[in-house]
Amino acid sequence: MYHELGEEARRLDDDPMVLIERFHGHVGPYVVLGYRCGQLAQERLGANAFKLRAEVSAGPRPPMSCFVDGVQLGSGCTLGKRNITLHEDELVEARFISEDGTGLRMRARPETLARLAPPLAKEDLSEVSSEFMAMPAEDLFNITDE
């Protein structure tokens, strides 16, 4: 079922930043990083959200915990489906395992995290989020097949 805003509103769903804001409430670098991880897992593992599991490590509070929302949105692995496990850790990492046992691990590169410390001013959140959305995944994460 579509909402009453019609075709124009449905086209907005093609914009990842709009999806992130709708799901998470705002766009920030950590949620973008999580979204990018989830999307990359979907692309490389070719598994739908019901045939994929995620193990996510992130800090226990925002802004680091926002990474988890991005992983859920990008991968489709959700708390409700019980196919995501959370670990409180200062790492910003996601590991995905498909139904056939193939896996992919992505850990934010130290230089990516350095870009976020000290905490960004509110006016810089959008700019850094857009940069992270546009950068090649290999520049944001150390990526290993498992």
Side-chain angles (χ1 to χ4, degrees), residues 2-3 6-22 35 39 73 133:
Y2 293 112
H3 46 74
E7 188 62 34
E8 182 178 340
R10 285 193 294 280
R11 279 194 302 273
L12 291 176
D13 288 344
D14 293 335
D15 182 343
M17 297 298 240
V18 172
L19 289 174
I20 289 169
E21 185 170 4
R22 283 183 182 169
Y35 178 82
Q39 286 288 287
L73 181 61
M133 188 61 81

Side-chain angles (χ1 to χ4, degrees), residues 82-98:
R82 310 288 294 165
N83 61 346
I84 188 169
T85 305
L86 308 177
H87 304 282
E88 289 185 7
D89 197 320
E90 293 306 307
L91 297 174
V92 177
E93 177 180 272
R95 179 175 180 248
F96 298 90
I97 304 101
S98 69

Side-chain angles (χ1 to χ4, degrees), residues 40 44 104-107 137-138 141-145:
L40 188 62
R44 291 205 181 168
L104 184 67
R105 182 184 303 264
M106 290 164 273
R107 180 180 290 178
E138 292 76 13
F141 306 104
N142 289 318
I143 303 169
T144 53
D145 293 316

Side-chain angles (χ1 to χ4, degrees), residues 35-109:
Y35 178 82
R36 295 289 310 276
C37 281
Q39 286 288 287
L40 188 62
Q42 287 283 344
E43 291 168 18
R44 291 205 181 168
L45 297 176
N48 73 40
F50 290 93
K51 297 182 180 192
L52 191 64
R53 288 182 301 124
E55 296 177 9
V56 181
S57 296
R61 288 176 299 288
M64 286 182 73
S65 62
C66 299
F67 179 73
V68 178
D69 275 358
V71 169
Q72 289 184 96
L73 181 61
S75 70
C77 295
T78 63
L79 293 169
K81 283 199 291 295
R82 310 288 294 165
N83 61 346
I84 188 169
T85 305
L86 308 177
H87 304 282
E88 289 185 7
D89 197 320
E90 293 306 307
L91 297 174
V92 177
E93 177 180 272
R95 179 175 180 248
F96 298 90
I97 304 101
S98 69
E99 191 175 57
D100 69 4
T102 58
L104 184 67
R105 182 184 303 264
M106 290 164 273
R107 180 180 290 178
R109 290 181 171 275

Side-chain angles (χ1 to χ4, degrees), residues 111-122:
E111 54 271 25
T112 300
L113 297 177
R115 179 76 170 89
L116 302 175
L120 296 172
K122 196 171 195 165

